Amino acid sequence: MNTQSLSTGTAWAETGDLRALMMRAAGIRDAHWGRTVTYSRKAFVPLTNMCRDTCGYCTFVKHPESPEANIMTPEQVLATAQKGEREGCKELLFSLGEKPELRYEKARKGLEKIGYSRLTDYLRDMCELVLAETSLLPHVNAGTLTDDEIDVLRPVSASMGMMLETVSRRLTRKGQPHYACPDKVPVQRLRTLERAGQKQVPFTTGLLIGIGETFAERIEALHAINDAHARHGHIQEVIIQNFQRKPDIEMANHPEPALEDMLRTIAAARIILAPEISLQAPPNLSARHIAYLEAGINDWGGISPVTIDFINPQHEWPEIRALASSCTGAGFDLRERLTVYPRYLTGDSGFINPGVLARAAGMAQENGLARDQRHIGETA
Ligand SMILES: O=c1nc2n(C[C@H](O)[C@H](O)[C@H](O)CO)c3cc(O)ccc3cc-2c(=O)[nH]1
Ligand SMILES: C[C@H]1O[C@@H](n2cnc3c(N)ncnc32)[C@H](O)[C@@H]1O
Ligand code: SF4
């Protein structure tokens, strides 16, 4: 816990000298993670774009009446997974809308047609299919989860995640991005974080920057994440994601966060969070990724050689070799990692279902990812 932030409010990060702040954060990163920056080679499966929420920034979601609304078939899921496998992916990222069947008759019918009454059960079976038919490790990003949903998904996934995004209740009011989004009520997000910890799921979370939150609210969110981690040890990584403007969203005219704002938030995150929590910012969202390294990140998240980023489709993934050479230019080695971090892969960690753990630990050993991840130049 950073006591300075508690005793002097947020001015130390919000208005203090930016260079000094970044250097302090980079020092913490260097001490724990060295000059290595990682990524996970993944294939992306947007299992469904139907969702009971209507976040003002989301371009991914489609109304069930829209001709673009869909649920991927098992054949489509498997085809994407196999394509990923052929390209050397080790992670299968399921990212999807939340509980559409609870709001829309049409979504309920769509699920019924394929034999399910609940999206989570279909997701579970698709994770199982990927485990049975490919070598990939499923990572589940399905938003808020109940105790029961975590129990259902835990045996068939290596790790899970949910962006906390914000702790601001103000953003759920009319006219705000989280208005009428039951899964974006901060207390529900915080409960999911806590449940994942209680159930020992290696967990990814993060902040969405620039949707109307104050700097103080970001600091509050970082402390909430760190406190949950202090209780359970389950937070493997925190993503600092900038809001991306797109023409087809409610927030089409909302400004994107400035680079300085991102850098201050990244540095504050590195200072507040326990050092073993990996700090991630997406490379495809900004041409400014070198500055993110200088502000203290050590990870780029999942990068796909086979699928587009369905959440921010206007941005292409950086070609992995090109990213490697720009990292080298900045004094960093780009290395691959698994979706789940090495500290959860010991037999007695208590995290991860034993079958999936055995597979992940085997993959880590085989590929030299158990500790110090493999250098990109040796793999490509
Ligand atoms: O390509 C993306 N991957 C996203 N990922 C995936 C992430 O890049 C990697 O899959 C994880 O780092 C695990 O390796 C998320 C995972 C979560 O658990 C929670 C939120 C996200 C958000 C994104 C995202 O916006 N775009
Ligand atoms: C998977 C994650 O993607 C994030 N997400 C959704 N829409 C956007 C956007 N326009 N810009 C940046 N991030 C976004 C949400 O925070 C979600 O949790
Ligand atoms: S961001 Fe997630 S929860 Fe919000 S509308 Fe899009 S899919 Fe649904």
Side-chain angles (χ1 to χ4, degrees):
M1 165 84 62
N2 176 269
T3 45
Q4 182 185 358
S5 63
L6 295 179
S7 55
T8 59
T10 61
W12 62 276
E14 192 172 6
T15 55
D17 182 65
L18 177 62
R19 273 285 132 197
L21 183 72
M22 287 168 66
M23 280 176 68
R24 186 172 155 204
I28 296 169
R29 183 269 323 280
D30 286 351
H32 195 88
W33 298 89
R35 304 290 280 184
T36 292
V37 57
T38 48
Y39 77 103
S40 170
R41 212 170 159 94
K42 66 136 192 250
F44 192 140
V45 170
L47 192 62
T48 183
N49 52 16
M50 293 187 280
C51 182
R52 71 165 168 171
D53 305 300
T54 51
C55 304
Y57 43 77
C58 184
T59 185
F60 174 85
V61 67
K62 297 290 177 283
H63 192 280
E65 296 299 335
S66 153
E68 290 173 76
N70 87 315
I71 303 176
M72 285 173 72
T73 64
E75 291 72 27
Q76 289 170 326
V77 172
L78 195 56
T80 300
Q82 288 169 335
K83 199 165 158 207
E85 192 176 27
R86 284 195 296 274
E87 294 293 327
C89 293
K90 297 178 187 66
E91 170 182 343
L92 195 289
L93 165 65
F94 284 102
S95 200
L96 51 144
E98 306 194 27
K99 305 168 181 56
E101 72 277 12
L102 298 184
R103 178 162 176 190
Y104 302 107
E105 179 65 26
K106 193 130 184 188
R108 200 153 46 236
K109 289 246 165 73
L111 272 170
E112 254 166 37
K113 229 166 68 188
I114 53 173
Y116 294 87
S117 58
R118 190 172 69 153
L119 180 59
T120 302
D121 297 321
Y122 182 49
L123 172 60
R124 192 211 80 92
D125 283 6
M126 292 305 97
C127 288
E128 194 170 57
L129 178 70
V130 166
L131 285 171
E133 300 295 330
T134 76
S135 60
L136 304 185
L137 298 170
H139 175 92
V140 170
N141 172 215
T144 56
L145 299 167
T146 61
D147 276 311
D148 176 63
E149 288 177 301
I150 298 175
D151 290 342
V152 164
L153 296 168
R154 191 182 188 276
V156 290
S157 57
S159 49
M160 300 187 209
M162 173 215 63
M163 294 284 276
L164 171 60
E165 296 189 355
T166 183
V167 290
S168 174
R169 284 193 298 150
R170 197 182 57 257
L171 299 183
T172 63
R173 294 193 195 139
K174 202 167 168 76
Q176 297 294 324
H178 288 158
Y179 177 64
C181 298
D183 300 295
K184 297 293 167 108
V185 176
V187 70
Q188 298 301 342
R189 302 297 258 191
L190 290 165
R191 278 185 191 146
T192 298
L193 269 192
E194 190 65 18
R195 289 182 186 122
Q198 287 164 347
K199 293 179 180 290
Q200 295 195 286
V201 175
F203 208 70
T204 296
T205 188
L207 270 50
L208 183 53
I209 306 303
I211 57 170
E213 79 291 353
T214 64
F215 198 86
E217 286 166 340
R218 293 180 203 160
I219 300 291
E220 197 189 321
L222 289 166
H223 280 296
I225 292 168
N226 202 49
D227 290 350
H229 179 71
R231 286 188 289 275
H232 306 292
H234 64 308
I235 305 295
Q236 56 171 1
E237 55 183 1
V238 166
I239 307 175
I240 306 295
Q241 167 106 272
N242 49 320
F243 159 66
Q244 287 274 297
R245 195 183 359 199
K246 307 147 212 286
D248 59 342
I249 55 174
E250 247 173 69
M251 288 168 72
N253 296 315
H254 188 89
E256 293 183 353
L259 175 60
E260 176 168 337
D261 213 10
M262 280 296 288
L263 297 177
R264 286 185 181 280
T265 310
I266 288 170
R270 187 63 291 165
I271 291 165
I272 289 168
L273 299 170
E276 72 273 15
I277 297 176
S278 175
L279 190 61
Q280 175 185 133
N284 61 315
L285 297 185
S286 171
R288 325 174 268 187
H289 62 257
I290 300 301
Y292 291 172
L293 285 169
E294 291 167 349
I297 66 152
N298 61 280
D299 187 75
W300 298 124
I303 300 182
S304 172
V306 291
T307 47
I308 62 159
D309 183 345
F310 291 93
I311 300 166
N312 291 289
Q314 81 273 39
H315 284 266
E316 281 181 28
W317 295 110
E319 202 259 307
I320 292 169
R321 273 180 176 280
L323 183 64
S325 76
S326 88
C327 290
T328 306
F332 291 82
D333 266 355
L334 180 68
R335 295 181 194 208
E336 195 181 347
R337 65 163 168 85
L338 297 181
T339 178
V340 52
Y341 283 66
R343 70 174 176 278
Y344 300 106
L345 291 178
T346 59
D348 58 1
S349 79
F351 285 79
I352 319 179
N353 157 284
V356 180
L357 186 140
R359 173 187 299 216
M363 278 167 83
Q365 283 301 334
E366 213 175 286
N367 294 286
L369 305 178
R371 264 166 192 280
D372 206 63
Q373 286 98 333
R374 180 165 60 161
H375 188 278
I376 178 71
E378 297 158 22
T379 72

